[in-house]
Amino acid sequence: MGDAPPPYLPYGNNTLEVCVPGKVNSAGIWENLSYPSVFLSYPLPRLELQILLTFLCSHIIYFIVKPLGITFFATQMFAGLLLGHTVLGKLDNELLFSQGSGIEIIDTTGLFGFVIFMFLMGVKMDLRVAFRSTKRAVVIGFISILAPITVGLIIFGAFKKPEQSKEVNLERLLGTTIESLTSFSVIACLLSELNILNSELGRLALSASAIADVGTLILVFVFSTMAKWAIAPSVAAVNTAGSIAFVVILFFVCRPLMFWVIKTTPEGKPIKEVYIMLIVMMAIGSSIFTHFFSDSPLIGAFVFGLAVPDGPPLGSALVDKLECFVNGVFLAVFTTTSTMRVDVKSMMENRSRFLFSIIFVCVTFLAKVISCFIATFWSLMPLKDSLAFALIMSSKGIVELSYFCSFIDNKIMSEATFSVLVLGILVNSTIVPVLVKLLYDPASRRYAGYEKRTLMHLKPDSELRVLACTHRSENVSPTIELLDLTCPAKDSPQVVFTLHIVELKGRDSPVFIAHQKNENRARSSLENIFAYKQYEQNNWDSVTVHAFTAISPPKLMHEDICTMALNKQTSFIILPFHRKFSADGSIEDENSVMRNVNCSVLDRAPCSVGILIDRRVADRGRKTLKTSSRMPTCSIGMLFIGGKDDREALTLAKRMARDPQVNLTVIRLIADNHHSGNIMDWDGILDSENLKDVKQKNEVGNSCNITYVEEVSNEGPQAAGMIRSIVNNYDLIIVGRRYRVESVQTMGLEEWCEFPELGVIGDLLASTDLNSSVSVLVVQQQLYVELGRR
């Protein structure tokens, strides 16, 4: 009995294998004082340190190389090389990035983050860009795929040997295909980092890459389906049916449901959190579904993202909640860990594979560059712009990197070929942005033209072309009232180009809409358009209105405004002030984005600019600046000190004074020594010449009500006191910005100036300390370039 097994062993002498989950977290460095680094053997602290190390390494490198124009994506790849086999891998870094669980956990984390990234790329991609592209964009999009694929297949055939294995053939075909790919996501990220997203070149690149991306998706689906049918027809039939059903359900069931969510959300209110979480879970479920049917999980997330309505409120809500963390953490982890797998030593083990990889990477790149360059240069694009465009279309990034990682994970690409192709992406992403910056820099192209397009240089009865910009609905009414004050008439008509500028949210592609052609698009602009159209109908024989909407990133909104002013040959741009005042004169809202836009437009505008400060909150809805009465009802004050901005403002004020319902008072601020009348400078002569017809009222016309007043001011505080005393006598005050002009009359006010874009007088009138509801228009004359002989 002594040799019998204990009675508490239920399975006798049989061996029972039990999986006991390991401990995820540690007790800290105090767990084992003799070996403190033992805590790194636990998955969670090791993962946290790995993420921290990749984050620090990539940002330190970016800080060093950013002045050279190298993108953040390229620095993440440099960090991967530094932490991988090539550099630190030769040292003992097995503690953090050891083979097995040490690297697999962070790889899985990065891949999960990349799935969410592809979902967001689908959300931000506007498929309508592909379908409404110009013929030139369609041609370039297809050429950018077909040319490198054709050349790559020729190279493949030239290097193919009879005894070559199927694995090598498949590896080379897949490498050629991916090198020929043009990714919308990669190009959108590059354009955004170069700040040329809504430039003419950027818009063309986005349209062409959208065409190429859709074409690539179709080609990949067709080729993969054909390969599956050749191997196992029954399995391929099930997979194809599953893929088609997936797309049908997404676009005919899920997408209408998401529109229902948008419809049931009150205007101005955020989407409920439960809907956001449900959509994210569905995106992850879509990845699992496509993976189940032998497709990449990335495709499922991307296609589901395409089904989500882009832009606000749903698309922008998803992007706002996920993009920062995904791009800042997960994407950096994925890029860095993917590049860590590069092994330079393995590249030289098979010289034939190494040679072919180098050749087809270079040849497909040149084929794409040359074909895109010829296509754009043939359509009369300038030489440098054509070359920059070709380089943009040939750029490589994270999408190509993800393809190569999936190939090596599935054992269909050798480590040597993978290393060569990833290094090719690194070289491409390092050199291409630098070259594009050298060739194409819109910031160096002055919008301030050589042609003088100001109000002063207009003939008295010539057509007045105005670009009226609105950012919010409350900007519309005061802008229309100002336009009405410019006295449009049949013999001196007015053409208004109204531009609603909207911040780009939840999409990658900037959108520019001409509402005469696309009446149903940009519903947020419809209320503004109706108001301007009503103004046109009320002045049907003298006013023409053209409505547009520009949806672009905040830092590029001024590009849309200046480009449109240049193309439409306007003489005046009206911008809303960035502050919204409440009834008691305090600040109700302040929009820093709009202030930056105003400052950028003032620096670059190809014509004169006016910033309209509307403070008549208490009167809004009960009266306007001008009524239908025949008696003078609108009182306008024009403060004149001197300089070209004041002369431009005076010209506008005199144009308004043609209206019999307008009373204009021109107040000239002079210093004591000005009474002598000895004007020696050229600006003084021009000032006097422009004021001559104001002083001689009859020369302007008997129907005009113009008063000329001179006030003495020898310092800034004296001028401020005078302005405060008269400000409530007027409905509208017009002042010049007086850009970089110093004078005795305003000396000392510069130190208290809060908004330099308004000038010292405009800043005083926009101050919250001013107890008044007067509207203010600050005018700046065009900053034109004086030409000499060439």
Side-chain angles (χ1 to χ4, degrees):
M1 293 297 294
D3 296 330
Y8 55 83
L9 293 177
Y11 298 100
N13 291 328
N14 294 333
T15 301
L16 180 65
E17 292 185 3
V18 179
C19 180
V20 180
K23 192 176 178 183
V24 175
N25 208 349
S26 72
I29 59 174
W30 311 110
E31 182 175 346
N32 190 337
L33 292 176
S34 60
Y35 188 52
S37 60
V38 70
F39 80 98
L40 290 178
S41 61
Y42 297 97
L44 183 58
R46 182 167 51 202
L47 176 63
E48 291 169 342
L49 277 178
Q50 286 170 337
I51 293 175
L52 179 63
L53 187 59
T54 57
F55 182 84
L56 288 176
C57 190
S58 58
H59 277 76
I60 290 172
I61 295 174
Y62 185 59
F63 177 77
I64 296 171
V65 301
K66 185 180 179 180
L68 302 177
I70 296 175
T71 61
F72 188 53
F73 170 75
T75 60
Q76 292 170 349
M77 295 192 72
F78 279 120
L81 281 180
L82 182 65
L83 297 172
H85 301 293
T86 307
V87 182
L88 293 183
K90 296 179 180 180
L91 306 175
D92 185 16
N93 73 334
E94 293 295 308
L95 192 62
L96 268 181
F97 296 102
S98 59
Q99 293 298 323
S101 61
I103 194 68
E104 287 177 357
I105 293 176
I106 193 171
D107 270 346
T108 305
T109 304
L111 183 59
F112 173 78
F114 188 69
V115 169
I116 304 298
F117 170 78
M118 289 304 295
F119 163 65
L120 291 178
M121 288 296 102
V123 171
K124 294 194 290 183
M125 182 176 177
D126 186 2
L127 276 178
R128 290 170 295 189
V129 172
F131 294 110
R132 67 170 182 262
S133 300
T134 61
K135 185 184 293 186
R136 178 168 68 167
V138 173
V139 170
I140 293 170
F142 282 114
I143 285 177
S144 68
I145 302 175
L146 297 177
I149 282 183
T150 303
V151 174
L153 291 177
I154 293 172
I155 296 297
F156 170 74
F159 277 79
K160 187 176 180 181
K161 298 178 181 178
E163 69 279 4
Q164 198 164 273
S165 65
K166 290 183 179 180
E167 289 78 11
V168 174
N169 288 338
L170 180 61
E171 175 188 279
R172 293 182 176 182
L173 282 173
L174 287 174
T176 302
T177 304
I178 301 306
E179 283 294 321
S180 305
L181 184 144
T182 302
S183 173
F184 177 88
S185 302
V186 170
I187 289 176
C189 291
L190 175 63
L191 294 173
S192 179
E193 194 150 359
L194 293 175
N195 290 331
I196 57 174
L197 196 62
N198 67 338
S199 64
E200 184 181 0
L201 199 71
R203 291 179 189 275
L204 179 60
L206 285 175
S207 297
S209 62
I211 293 288
D213 224 359
V214 172
T216 302
L217 280 176
I218 295 172
L219 286 174
V220 167
F221 176 75
V222 171
F223 289 156
S224 62
T225 303
M226 290 173 60
K228 292 173 185 175
W229 276 87
I231 298 170
S234 59
V235 176
V238 174
N239 291 344
T240 304
S243 299
I244 294 173
F246 172 68
V247 174
V248 170
I249 291 171
L250 280 187
F251 286 91
F252 293 97
V253 178
C254 295
R255 186 174 172 85
L257 285 174
M258 286 184 273
F259 275 113
W260 174 83
V261 170
I262 294 172
K263 187 177 180 181
T264 55
T265 302
E267 188 174 355
K269 299 291 183 181
I271 300 291
K272 292 181 180 179
E273 289 290 335
V274 63
Y275 295 135
I276 299 293
M277 294 305 301
L278 185 61
I279 290 171
V280 173
M281 292 300 104
M282 290 173 68
I284 297 172
S286 298
S287 299
I288 297 171
F289 182 87
T290 52
H291 188 59
F292 180 77
F293 284 98
S294 303
D295 283 323
S296 171
L298 303 176
I299 293 178
F302 180 72
V303 175
F304 182 80
L306 291 177
V308 177
D310 62 324
L314 185 55
S316 59
L318 288 165
V319 172
D320 289 343
K321 289 182 180 296
L322 299 175
E323 187 175 43
C324 181
F325 189 70
V326 170
N327 288 7
V329 178
F330 283 135
L331 207 59
V333 168
F334 177 79
T335 305
T336 305
T337 54
S338 298
T339 316
M340 284 172 61
R341 303 164 75 171
V342 171
D343 189 356
V344 177
K345 184 179 179 181
S346 68
M347 290 167 49
M348 307 304 297
E349 291 177 355
N350 190 321
R351 289 182 175 266
S352 62
R353 284 191 174 185
F354 174 75
L355 181 62
F356 178 81
S357 299
I358 292 290
I359 290 175
F360 88 77
V361 166
C362 296
V363 169
T364 51
F365 174 79
L366 289 175
K368 182 171 287 193
V369 168
I370 293 171
S371 60
C372 291
F373 171 78
I374 292 174
T376 51
F377 190 67
W378 187 263
S379 59
L380 304 180
M381 185 182 285
L383 178 66
K384 285 188 175 181
D385 291 2
S386 297
L387 188 54
F389 177 84
L391 290 170
I392 290 171
M393 293 296 291
S394 306
S395 59
K396 303 297 175 190
I398 194 163
V399 174
E400 291 81 6
L401 180 63
S402 69
Y403 275 112
F404 296 144
C405 287
S406 66
F407 293 158
I408 195 171
D409 287 338
N410 294 318
K411 311 295 184 183
I412 56 178
M413 180 174 282
S414 66
E415 191 174 331
T417 304
F418 171 83
S419 298
V420 173
L421 296 181
V422 172
L423 287 177
I425 294 174
L426 176 58
V427 173
N428 182 292
S429 60
T430 302
I431 295 176
V432 165
V434 176
L435 293 177
V436 172
K437 274 190 174 181
L438 291 174
L439 293 168
Y440 186 80
D441 184 13
S444 65
R445 300 183 177 192
R446 293 177 60 91
Y447 284 103
Y450 301 113
E451 181 183 354
K452 296 179 180 180
R453 288 195 287 155
T454 66
L455 298 173
M456 285 185 62
H457 291 88
L458 284 178
K459 294 180 180 179
D461 294 328
S462 62
E463 179 182 75
L464 176 62
R465 301 172 73 86
V466 181
L467 175 58
C469 302
T470 57
H471 190 254
R472 297 178 293 202
S473 58
E474 57 263 24
N475 304 144
V476 177
S477 178
T479 303
I480 291 176
E481 292 172 12
L482 179 64
L483 290 168
D484 199 25
L485 279 173
T486 58
C487 196
K490 190 174 183 179
D491 55 348
S492 58
Q494 182 185 87
V495 180
V496 180
F497 301 94
T498 169
L499 181 65
H500 184 201
I501 47 178
V502 182
E503 185 176 348
L504 181 72
K505 290 183 177 180
R507 53 164 66 98
D508 262 336
S509 330
V511 180
F512 191 83
I513 304 165
H515 289 280
Q516 286 78 8
K517 298 179 181 179
N518 302 281
E519 293 292 345
N520 296 324
R521 299 196 59 209
R523 294 180 181 178
S524 62
S525 303
L526 293 181
E527 182 183 349
N528 303 342
I529 295 168
F530 290 149
Y532 281 103
K533 289 297 182 182
Q534 186 63 45
Y535 170 62
E536 181 183 33
Q537 291 175 11
N538 294 341
N539 302 272
W540 63 271
D541 59 340
S542 57
V543 174
T544 305
V545 173
H546 302 280
F548 302 87
T549 296
I551 306 174
S552 57
K555 59 185 176 182
L556 299 177
M557 286 178 177
H558 66 277
E559 299 274 357
D560 288 321
I561 297 171
C562 294
T563 301
M564 189 171 181
L566 193 66
N567 294 339
K568 302 301 180 182
Q569 298 181 340
T570 60
S571 298
F572 195 57
I573 299 173
I574 301 175
L575 300 171
F577 188 51
H578 68 278
R579 274 184 174 176
K580 180 181 178 182
F581 293 93
S582 60
D584 61 356
S586 61
I587 301 170
E588 182 178 325
D589 186 29
E590 189 160 359
N591 191 332
S592 59
V593 170
M594 197 61 222
R595 185 190 177 190
N596 293 334
V597 171
N598 290 350
C599 293
S600 298
V601 172
L602 287 170
D603 290 340
R604 297 170 174 82
C607 62
S608 297
V609 183
I611 297 179
L612 179 59
I613 306 164
D614 181 36
R615 303 186 64 153
R616 298 174 303 106
V617 180
D619 298 332
R620 193 171 294 138
R622 293 191 289 111
K623 74 172 186 177
T624 59
L625 288 175
K626 189 175 75 173
T627 69
S628 59
S629 171
R630 293 184 179 180
M631 295 297 292
T633 57
C634 181
S635 182
I636 299 177
M638 194 275 139
L639 291 171
F640 189 94
I641 299 176
K644 64 178 184 178
D645 290 346
D646 278 7
R647 292 193 294 270
E648 187 77 359
L650 179 63
T651 303
L652 179 61
K654 288 191 289 186
R655 190 180 187 98
M656 294 177 177
R658 297 177 186 176
D659 194 321
Q661 296 183 24
V662 170
N663 266 337
L664 173 63
T665 302
V666 178
I667 305 109
R668 186 179 188 185
L669 296 182
I670 59 173
D672 279 340
N673 56 6
H674 195 78
H675 286 290
S676 63
N678 296 322
I679 303 171
M680 302 301 296
D681 62 299
W682 178 247
D683 258 342
I685 295 173
L686 293 176
D687 292 343
S688 297
E689 186 66 26
N690 277 269
L691 286 168
K692 185 184 296 182
D693 57 350
V694 175
K695 295 177 180 179
Q696 300 171 355
K697 182 179 176 180
N698 292 333
E699 290 186 18
V700 177
N702 295 328
S703 61
C704 294
N705 299 295
I706 301 179
T707 305
Y708 175 75
V709 178
E710 288 187 354
E711 296 283 349
V712 176
S713 173
N714 294 315
E715 58 179 355
Q718 186 178 356
M722 186 276 299
I723 291 170
R724 291 177 187 276
S725 67
I726 66 170
V727 72
N728 287 319
N729 299 335
Y730 306 102
D731 300 305
L732 173 69
I733 291 183
I734 304 174
V735 297
R737 182 191 177 196
R738 307 189 72 247
Y739 182 61
R740 293 179 180 174
V741 177
E742 296 180 356
S743 62
V744 175
Q745 296 93 319
T746 60
M747 188 174 296
L749 292 180
E750 292 87 352
E751 300 175 6
W752 305 97
C753 186
E754 185 179 3
F755 303 116
E757 66 269 23
L758 300 179
V760 290
I761 301 297
D763 179 79
L764 176 66
L765 292 168
S767 172
T768 53
D769 298 331
L770 190 72
N771 186 20
S772 175
S773 60
V774 66
S775 293
V776 181
L777 180 66
V778 179
V779 178
Q780 174 185 280
Q781 194 181 70
Q782 174 199 11
L783 303 175
Y784 55 84
V785 179
E786 296 287 356
L787 280 179
R789 290 195 174 184
R790 294 192 177 189

